Amino acid sequence: MSETKYSKVLIVGSGPAGYTAAVYASRAMLEPVLVQGIQPGGQLTITTEVENWPGDTEVQGPDLMVRMEAHARAVGTEIISDHIQSLDLSKRPFTAVGDSGTTYTCDAIILATGAQAKWLGLPSEEHFKGFGVSACATCDGFFYRGQEVVVIGGGNTAVEEALFLTNFASKVTLVHRRDSLRAEKILQHRLFKNPKVEILWDHSVEEVVGADNPRGVEGVRARHVKTGEITEIPCKGFFVAIGHAPASELVKDQLDLHNGGYVVTKPDSTATSIPGVFAAGDLTDHIYRQAVTSAGMGCMAALEAEKFLAEQEEAEEQPATVDAAE
Ligand code: FAD
Ligand code: NAP
């Protein structure tokens, strides 16, 4: 039978934003419930070293997220393995329904659903997904020992993926649509000096080519963005690392969004266009998209939810105003 579960604060998402919100909300005695989603720990669980989390010169992403989860549990957060499939923010208490059939109701909600990898949108990319096309070198790099691979993208993710793949592959070609990378300089420096890496500037990938029996990638067809010249790059693995899209599907018709789907929050705040609904982390941040900024926003969201609930309680306790004229 389906269950209904009430909490003062419901936190949706288990990345750095969600777990930090959970720690602060628990310590404020709000007894939050956190729903983890299909990626417990969020994006950092698909990377290796994290080198910019303060206090750890170097920490493995999955280890850091296990520690964050343990911290949230230790201070009293109820953590639930479920995925929210629908959300009704039109009235309080807000209602969320999970894949499990559970209905979650709450007086305030913190949305921390993060972001997901973007794909090029090519039919051939879709055809070879899981058969040589991947968006996660950490997950799949091992399969390409001694083989040639291609990475597309020019940001931190693409450069990190390319560098990580040099541990396995015989050659890594990074294809980028411009003639400069947007990745941090220190990463660019590492990439440029790695003898296994070749960079194909000013190219887009227009097709993934391969065989069907057995299904597998054999190369990518790249086009020079200025001359139109086609280059075929042989490879067994094609890694798409062109950024991420905010996971705002649940709220796209309920909250104000901007910049391609990021939830709008008030200046210096995590408050959204609906009172009692707060958004934190990559879901709302199209600029920084870092673990530490997400965690910071998780903290803000919990403190703001606490203040919101206290104000609601106060308003309910006020005696009804008596009209002096009566
Ligand atoms: P996410 O980490 O994206 O987590 C989102 C959470 O929401 C997930 O737990 C998911 O399961 C949950 N969720 C989504 N939809 C639902 C739903 N409908 N119901 C319930 N739950 C849901 N940043 C750094 O600072 N340093 C790094 O070294 C670094 N390396 C990175 C390497 C890679 C490969 C990638 C992809 C990113 C990296 N980043 C790094 C960026 C960093 O991971 C993100 O900024 C950060 O994880 C965002 O945290 P978040 O809590 O907002 O969301
Ligand atoms: P990103 O910074 O948005 O970069 C996306 C890259 O893909 C850009 O170079 C972009 O090209 C290219 N691109 C986008 N759409 C494309 C398309 N359709 N075809 C070809 N190329 C396309 O994304 P990201 O690298 O995933 O990083 C996301 C966030 O996570 C960033 O804030 C980043 O700092 C953070 N992150 C941090 C670390 C770290 O700190 N070590 C590691 C990973 C990620 P243009 O450059 O031309 O726009």
Side-chain angles (χ1 to χ4, degrees):
M1 212 178 71
S2 61
E3 185 196 352
T4 297
K5 193 165 188 60
Y6 164 80
S7 56
K8 281 186 205 152
V9 180
L10 178 67
I11 300 166
V12 186
S14 56
Y19 283 145
T20 307
V23 168
Y24 276 79
S26 295
R27 288 176 47 77
M29 312 301 279
L30 295 175
E31 299 173 342
V33 166
L34 181 148
V35 178
Q36 287 183 306
I38 52 178
Q39 190 178 47
Q43 291 171 66
L44 283 186
T45 59
I46 61 162
T47 192
T48 48
E49 291 93 10
V50 175
E51 297 177 25
N52 48 18
W53 180 256
D56 286 308
T57 312
E58 191 181 291
V59 58
Q60 295 289 310
D63 293 345
L64 179 59
M65 296 320 299
V66 164
R67 277 164 37 193
M68 283 196 206
E69 177 178 342
H71 189 168
R73 278 189 202 281
V75 287
T77 308
E78 183 177 355
I79 296 179
I80 297 180
S81 172
D82 199 356
H83 176 260
I84 301 300
Q85 52 169 259
S86 66
L87 198 53
D88 183 358
L89 302 176
S90 63
K91 57 183 181 311
R92 277 200 304 273
F94 304 122
T95 310
V97 179
D99 283 352
S100 64
T102 301
T103 297
Y104 302 87
T105 60
C106 59
D107 299 324
I109 187 163
I110 297 175
L111 301 169
T113 49
Q116 288 155 4
K118 276 189 196 162
W119 296 93
L120 293 170
L122 304 169
S124 54
E125 171 193 60
E126 189 60 37
H127 182 71
F128 288 109
K129 255 185 212 169
F131 297 90
V133 171
S134 167
C136 179
T138 318
C139 322
D140 300 328
F142 193 68
F143 301 126
Y144 300 97
R145 274 166 298 165
Q147 296 178 335
E148 298 190 8
V149 298
V150 170
V151 177
I152 185 165
N156 277 345
T157 302
V159 173
E160 283 193 342
E161 302 258 286
L163 286 169
F164 180 73
L165 286 164
T166 60
N167 294 322
F168 313 97
S170 55
K171 180 180 173 187
V172 178
T173 306
L174 183 84
V175 178
H176 183 41
R177 63 185 179 183
R178 294 189 294 121
D179 62 0
S180 65
L181 301 172
R182 68 170 64 232
E184 283 168 34
K185 287 284 180 280
I186 187 167
L187 290 175
Q188 293 195 30
H189 180 69
R190 281 181 208 159
L191 187 80
F192 296 153
K193 71 172 196 202
N194 193 306
K196 280 192 180 174
V197 175
E198 188 174 307
I199 304 179
L200 193 62
W201 300 107
D202 291 318
H203 276 76
S204 59
V205 166
E206 57 175 34
E207 198 181 347
V208 183
V209 289
D212 263 338
N213 202 7
R215 200 187 300 190
V217 170
E218 287 177 346
V220 296
R221 194 167 290 140
R223 175 186 288 274
H224 195 290
V225 293
K226 292 171 188 153
T227 65
E229 193 187 332
I230 300 289
T231 303
E232 295 242 1
I233 317 166
C235 65
K236 293 290 182 195
F238 176 51
F239 290 85
V240 181
I242 60 168
H244 288 78
S248 55
E249 190 62 22
L250 280 175
V251 294
K252 70 177 181 344
D253 300 322
Q254 306 185 72
L255 294 177
D256 293 345
L257 307 179
H258 65 168
N259 292 315
Y262 290 86
V263 171
V264 177
T265 51
K266 304 220 160 86
D268 301 324
S269 166
T270 60
T272 67
S273 45
I274 299 181
V277 180
F278 303 90
D282 280 13
L283 173 67
T284 174
D285 176 12
H286 65 284
I287 301 172
Y288 303 108
R289 291 174 296 184
Q290 297 295 299
V292 72
T293 46
S294 297
M297 282 185 264
C299 157
M300 288 167 64
L303 295 177
E304 290 181 294
E306 182 189 5
K307 186 163 177 274
F308 169 81
L309 291 170
E311 284 167 0
Q312 294 298 307
E313 228 167 79
E314 238 170 60
E316 279 160 23
E317 279 165 11
Q318 293 289 326
T321 324
V322 180
D323 190 339
E326 276 179 13

